[in-house]
């Protein structure tokens, strides 16, 4: 296996994991370049090449690289900053305002000042087209070509970059959308086009409409970025395979990403859950909660056998109805700004100092206090060893920013203000974990916490205390966990078709035809991507509900039950999932179950890097002891002198009793006074609440398969 590189472009740093195949993986981080993220990617590749022994030029180094897996925030940032393409919409006459009316429900029902989000397509570029199909797919009125011609003339005059086509009931019969698409391609061949039934052929008009508009809004932006990236990679001699991370935790080739750009709206964070599960499995666990605290944001996700999936979500108040990992994101990162609200309360984020100018302590022009500034004042960060000593931090600038903007306004000392900032941001993150666990029917105390991100391990002990979580794992590659996950991702394609029927009266031949069509489409895509037959698999899910319910429950359906046409087995699976989610089922009442959508996920397994294991080196960590320094202990609410350890020199079996600080080139771990730490066989750090019978439980288990 040749060299593989996982690249995660974040808001502050761009992370790299280089898997060599014949030696230990290497971690690299460079500052992101928000104006053109591909420049940061190339900067990192140059740095990796120069670090080799002997140093290489990038053209020589890249010749050994056969795969690059890339996660990007380009589409996310375009949506959040409203810098997407100038987009137009063709829809059924009379419903062009559905994009603005949405579901007709105000998000904050009791806030009279709350206004709707501004649609991604302005009203004058939303054109109604005559023609109608009913819910069963029967044509009531033919498509009107004159309406199309008038709309396209307007679009040309306005210089639109992308066009969305979304007609009522097209999921039942896509003929009108296909006719309109042919006209648009002929009249405007250079425009980016999204056809709703090619992207999301399922019921619920607003969900389909919003998803289609989002795809067109970010499509040209992603296409331009991929053009820049592929051109720069070719320029340095890359001839291998480029794969793009998608929101469902799988990867795809750039050609698919260009057509279905909305699949990348969670591109970077989606790699984290799968990677986190690898480290949980080293301790005999198949479930975990994965958190990732970077410079700008904090992501939380849950794994229960497999990463938790959802079929719809919200990005910047815009609905998207594509399968994605159930990741909850909040503005809580190392760059999150501390500020005082109108009521005199301390807040952290969601505003961020980002990479430029960054926290005040970076010395790049930032003057506002951030989470990183607080961590420096509290002694968790060494100003001379940040980023492995390649970037000095300015303690006085951090103290000045906190003193001026937080401490003075609250009447506190600088240290007290920094401690308050630390507690507030930890509480914010604990609430983010509740969103993916308690609110979805899971008890976080039953899961190990996998802690990722350069800033995450500084805060994880206080988060675990808030949630009463007794066990956490800080992976060896914590600071670049998503880059690790990108090398663990399979090629994944999701298909959905609306097929409404009572389960007990299902038309099994028709249902099987729909599943066969989607499976065939998935097989064709995997074949084009070079996945051999033996590495392909297909999973089936149904979206079902009790008759007259509004919302569906999505659950896996064994293919054996479909082959046997066993409606009873499928119904029982539905009842179980409904009970888990909502605490009840209507199985005993024999309530009718209705199928709404059927789904197929096509999976192409890829080669993955191996994780080497260390021999057991005993409990004594003295060889890694670096010294000590004062640090703030949340439990004591005071500074105490704590030992400092070099994380790179800790070995399998080494035990550390908190409080302590473990420093690595790309992250710092604060072991609070309530936790003990032991290094496991993968070189990761397992932290247990003090008082457990065996604080090293699971950490010595070298027999568990990491994959």
């Amino acid at each position: 296996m040749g060299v593989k590189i996982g690249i995660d472009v974040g808001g502050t740093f761009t992370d790299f994991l280089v898997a060599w195949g014949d030696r230990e993986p290497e971690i690299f981080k460079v500052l992101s370049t928000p104006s053109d993220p591909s420049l940061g990617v190339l900067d990192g590749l140059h740095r990796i090449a120069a670090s080799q022994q002997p140093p290489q030029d990038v053209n020589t180094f890249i010749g050994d690289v056969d795969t690059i897996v890339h996660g990007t925030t380009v589409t996310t940032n375009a949506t959040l900053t409203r810098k997407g393409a100038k987009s137009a919409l063709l829809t059924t006459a009379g419903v062009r305002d559905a994009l603005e009316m949405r579901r007709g429900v105000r998000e904050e029902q009791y806030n009279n000042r709350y206004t709707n989000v501004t649609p991604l397509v302005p009203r004058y570029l939303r054109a109604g087209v005559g023609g109608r199909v009913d819910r069963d797919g029967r044509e009531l009125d033919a498509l009107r070509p004159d309406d199309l011609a008038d709309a396209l003339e307007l679009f040309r005059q306005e210089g639109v970059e992308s066009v969305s086509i979304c007609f009522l009931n097209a999921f039942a019969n896509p003929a009108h959308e296909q006719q309109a698409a042919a006209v648009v391609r002929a009249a405007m061949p250079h425009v980016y086009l999204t056809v709703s039934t090619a992207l999301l052929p399922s019921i619920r008009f607003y969900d389909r409409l919003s998803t289609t508009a989002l795809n067109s809004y970010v499509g040209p932006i992603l296409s331009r970025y991929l053009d820049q990236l592929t051109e720069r990679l070719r320029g340095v001699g890359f001839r291998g395979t480029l794969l793009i991370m998608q929101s469902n935790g799988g990867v795809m080739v750039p050609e698919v990403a260009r057509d279905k750009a909305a699949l990348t709206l969670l591109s970077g964070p989606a790699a984290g859950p799968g990677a986190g599960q690898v480290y949980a499995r080293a301790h005999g666990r198949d479930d975990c909660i994965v958190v990732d605290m970077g410079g700008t944001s904090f992501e939380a996700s849950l794994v229960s056998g497999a990463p938790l999936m959802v079929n719809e979500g919200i990005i910047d108040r815009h609905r998207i109805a594509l399968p994605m990992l159930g990741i909850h994101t909040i503005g809580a990162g190392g760059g999150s700004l501390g500020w005082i609200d109108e009521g005199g309360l301390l807040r952290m984020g969601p505003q961020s100092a980002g990479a430029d100018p960054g926290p005040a302590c970076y010395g790049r022009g930032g003057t506002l206090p951030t989470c990183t500034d607080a961590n420096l004042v509290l002694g968790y960060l060494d100003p001379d060893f940040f980023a492995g000593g390649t970037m000095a931090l300015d303690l006085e600038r951090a103290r000045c920013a906190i003193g001026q903007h937080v401490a003075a306004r609250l009447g506190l000392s600088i240290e007290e203000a920094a401690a308050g900032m630390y507690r507030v941001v930890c509480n914010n993150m604990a609430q983010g974990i509740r969103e993916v666990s308690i609110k979805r029917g899971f008890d976080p105390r039953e899961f190990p916490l996998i802690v990722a991100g350069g800033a995450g391990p500084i805060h994880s002990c206080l988060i675990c205390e808030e949630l009463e979580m007794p066990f956490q794992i800080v992976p060896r590659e914590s600071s670049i966990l998503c880059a690790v996950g990108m090398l663990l991702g399979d090629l994944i394609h999701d298909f959905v078709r609306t097929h409404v029927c009572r389960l007990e009266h299902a038309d099994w031949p028709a249902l099987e035809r729909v599943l066969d069509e989607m499976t065939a489409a998935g097989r064709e895509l995997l074949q084009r991507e070079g996945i051999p037959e033996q590495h392909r698999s297909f999973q089936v899910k149904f979206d079902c509900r009790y008759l007259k319910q509004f919302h569906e429950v999505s659950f896996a359906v064994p293919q054996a039950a479909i082959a046997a046409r066993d409606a009873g087995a499928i119904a029982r699976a539905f009842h179980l999932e409904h009970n888990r989610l909502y605490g009840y089922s209507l199985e005993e009442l024999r309530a009718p179950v209705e199928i709404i959508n059927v789904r197929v996920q096509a999976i192409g397994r890829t080669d993955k890097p191996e994780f080497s294991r260390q021999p057991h080196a005993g409990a004594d960590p003295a060889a890694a002891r670096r010294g000590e320094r004062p640090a703030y202990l949340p439990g004591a609410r005071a500074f105490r002198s704590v030992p400092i350890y070099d994380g790179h020199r800790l070995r399998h079996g080494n035990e550390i009793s908190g409080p302590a600080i473990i420093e690595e080139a790309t992250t710092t771990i604060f072991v609070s006074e309530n936790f003990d730490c032991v290094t496991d066989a993968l070189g990761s750090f397992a932290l247990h609440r003090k008082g457990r019978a065996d604080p090293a439980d699971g950490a010595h288990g070298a027999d568990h398969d990491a994959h």
Side-chain angles (χ1 to χ4, degrees):
M1 184 174 69
V3 178
K4 296 180 181 293
I5 304 178
I7 305 174
D8 177 30
V9 178
T12 305
F13 288 99
T14 297
D15 302 335
F16 299 78
L17 179 75
V18 185
W20 300 100
D22 58 350
R23 66 180 197 260
E24 285 292 299
E26 290 187 75
I27 295 172
F28 296 86
K29 294 176 81 76
V30 300
L31 283 173
S32 296
T33 51
S35 60
D36 182 356
S38 65
L39 293 174
V41 172
L42 265 292
D43 180 30
L45 294 176
H46 279 279
R47 187 171 299 186
I48 295 168
S51 72
Q52 303 309 301
Q53 297 298 329
Q56 300 177 355
D57 64 78
V58 71
N59 299 75
T60 302
F61 163 73
I62 208 74
D64 293 328
V65 178
D66 64 14
T67 304
I68 291 177
V69 186
H70 177 42
T72 174
T73 56
V74 166
T75 53
T76 308
N77 292 340
T79 305
L80 297 178
T81 60
R82 294 303 178 89
K83 293 182 179 178
K86 186 174 184 179
S87 189
L89 170 66
L90 293 172
T91 189
T92 303
V95 297
R96 68 170 179 164
D97 289 326
L99 194 61
E100 195 152 5
M101 295 167 64
R102 301 183 295 170
R103 290 182 169 179
V105 178
R106 190 163 56 194
E107 295 164 58
E108 295 187 9
Q109 296 182 37
Y110 304 108
N111 183 352
N112 292 329
R113 298 181 180 181
Y114 204 71
T115 58
N116 279 350
V117 64
T118 302
L120 298 178
V121 183
R123 192 172 194 270
Y124 79 99
L125 290 177
R126 304 197 297 260
V129 179
R132 197 65 174 260
V133 171
D134 71 8
R135 66 178 187 177
D136 297 317
R138 294 187 295 266
E139 184 181 75
L140 302 178
D141 293 305
L143 197 67
R144 296 180 187 173
D146 291 346
D147 291 350
L148 275 176
D150 292 343
L152 295 183
E153 181 59 31
L154 171 66
F155 298 166
R156 276 193 295 264
Q157 291 175 2
E158 293 295 328
V160 302
E161 300 174 80
S162 61
V163 174
S164 300
I165 299 176
C166 185
F167 293 155
L168 279 173
N169 297 322
F171 70 90
N173 182 353
H176 282 187
E177 287 196 351
Q178 292 168 356
Q179 292 173 36
V183 174
V184 173
R185 290 190 182 101
M188 305 177 70
H190 301 298
V191 80
Y192 185 94
L193 178 63
T194 305
V195 181
S196 80
T197 45
L199 180 68
L200 183 67
S202 65
I203 201 170
R204 293 217 167 93
F205 180 64
Y206 169 68
D207 290 18
R208 182 160 49 90
L209 177 64
S210 178
T211 304
T212 304
L214 263 171
N215 194 76
S216 287
Y217 188 71
V218 301
I221 309 300
L222 181 66
S223 293
R224 284 195 289 271
Y225 172 66
L226 290 177
D227 288 342
Q228 291 172 337
L229 179 64
T230 52
E231 183 178 346
R232 288 197 165 99
L233 289 175
R234 280 196 300 268
V236 296
F238 179 63
R239 298 292 182 268
T241 300
L242 174 65
L243 297 172
I244 307 300
M245 197 74 198
Q246 54 180 314
S247 303
N248 62 8
V251 295
M252 57 186 167
V253 295
E255 291 73 21
V256 176
R258 284 187 172 91
D259 290 340
K260 299 183 177 181
L263 292 176
T264 66
L265 283 166
L266 286 177
S267 175
Q277 191 176 27
V278 169
Y279 297 97
R281 284 175 174 168
H283 293 260
R285 300 293 299 269
D286 207 34
D287 53 1
C288 57
I289 292 174
V290 182
V291 297
D292 190 338
M293 182 185 181
T296 305
S297 62
F298 171 85
E299 285 91 24
S301 56
L302 187 140
V303 178
S304 180
L308 192 67
M309 296 283 294
V310 295
N311 293 324
E312 61 179 34
I314 300 288
I315 176 166
D316 196 30
R317 300 176 63 197
H318 299 285
R319 184 167 291 275
I320 179 170
L322 295 172
M324 63 185 73
L325 296 184
I327 297 172
H328 183 72
T329 302
I330 61 174
S336 292
L337 298 175
W339 55 285
I340 310 301
D341 68 12
E342 294 177 352
L345 297 178
L346 173 62
R347 301 295 184 94
M348 292 296 294
Q351 305 91 341
S352 173
D356 185 16
C361 61
Y362 280 14
R364 295 173 175 266
T367 59
L368 298 177
T370 68
C371 180
T372 297
D373 295 309
N375 290 340
L376 180 61
V377 168
L378 295 175
Y380 302 142
L381 296 175
D382 182 344
D384 298 319
F385 191 68
F386 189 72
T390 62
M391 185 175 175
L393 299 181
D394 191 324
L395 177 59
E396 286 309 309
R397 287 180 186 270
R399 291 181 61 85
C400 181
I402 294 173
Q404 179 181 350
H405 296 282
V406 179
R409 295 192 60 184
L410 295 177
L412 302 173
S413 70
I414 292 174
E415 290 76 14
E416 288 172 332
M421 294 169 66
Y422 178 76
R423 284 188 177 276
V424 169
V425 79
C426 288
N427 285 336
N428 290 348
M429 291 186 283
Q431 183 58 36
I433 294 174
R434 290 186 179 100
E435 292 288 333
V436 301
S437 56
I438 295 172
K439 287 194 174 182
R440 294 175 181 171
F442 297 97
D443 186 343
R445 296 172 296 184
E446 298 175 356
F447 292 78
L449 184 69
I450 311 298
V451 187
I458 294 177
H459 303 82
S460 58
C461 285
L462 197 60
I463 294 170
C464 285
E465 289 178 25
E466 173 73 19
L467 297 172
E468 301 180 17
M469 300 178 71
F471 180 38
Q472 54 179 303
I473 302 168
V474 180
R476 178 181 57 182
E477 296 82 10
S478 167
S479 65
I480 54 135
L481 186 73
C482 287
V484 174
M486 287 171 194
L487 297 186
L488 301 174
D490 293 317
L491 286 152
I492 296 178
H493 303 289
D494 288 293
F495 302 87
V496 59
R497 292 272 292 275
T498 293
H499 184 87
V500 181
C501 67
R502 291 267 290 270
L503 180 57
E504 62 195 84
H505 302 143
D507 182 345
W508 290 102
L511 188 59
E512 289 165 352
R513 280 196 301 272
V514 170
L515 292 171
D516 289 344
E517 289 170 6
M518 290 190 288
T519 301
R523 186 173 286 112
E524 180 183 352
L525 271 175
L526 294 177
Q527 184 172 350
R528 278 171 27 200
E529 292 166 338
I531 301 297
E533 184 71 35
Q534 64 271 24
H535 289 168
R536 304 175 196 166
S537 61
F538 301 88
Q539 296 180 359
V540 176
K541 284 188 174 183
F542 283 1
D543 296 350
C544 291
R545 65 188 182 190
Y546 293 118
L547 198 62
K548 297 185 179 181
Q549 271 189 323
F550 183 75
H551 293 289
E552 302 87 46
V553 169
S554 187
F555 61 100
V557 177
Q559 297 198 27
I562 298 171
R565 301 183 175 182
D566 189 345
I570 297 172
R572 285 191 292 275
F574 165 73
H575 295 311
L576 284 172
E577 182 65 6
H578 194 284
N579 186 67
R580 188 191 67 77
L581 286 172
Y582 303 114
Y584 76 96
S585 76
L586 303 180
E587 183 174 10
E588 292 185 359
L589 299 179
R590 300 183 183 275
V593 176
E594 185 177 38
I595 301 173
I596 302 299
N597 296 314
V598 292
R599 302 177 183 272
V600 169
Q601 187 174 77
I603 303 169
R605 295 189 302 280
T606 59
D607 293 331
K608 299 172 179 62
E610 294 292 329
F611 288 80
S612 61
R613 294 175 174 274
Q614 300 177 1
H616 195 272
D620 187 4
R625 178 84 179 247
R626 182 180 279 168
E628 58 184 47
R629 69 168 176 264
Y632 180 79
L633 302 186
R637 296 180 181 266
F639 282 79
R640 298 284 188 270
S641 184
V642 302
I644 311 298
Y645 293 90
D646 183 345
H648 300 292
R649 295 168 61 189
L650 288 170
R651 293 293 179 263
H652 178 204
N654 289 177
E655 297 179 15
I656 295 172
S657 180
I661 292 174
I662 302 170
E663 294 181 332
E664 294 188 309
T666 56
T667 195
T668 297
I669 304 163
F670 171 55
V671 184
S672 78
E673 61 269 42
N674 295 321
F675 278 84
D676 292 325
C677 174
V678 60
T679 307
D680 71 11
L682 295 181
S684 301
F685 306 102
L687 282 69
H688 298 260
R689 289 276 302 188
K690 287 182 182 292
R692 291 175 62 95
D694 180 7
D697 179 35
H700 302 308
D703 297 328
H704 294 301
D705 184 7
H707 295 291

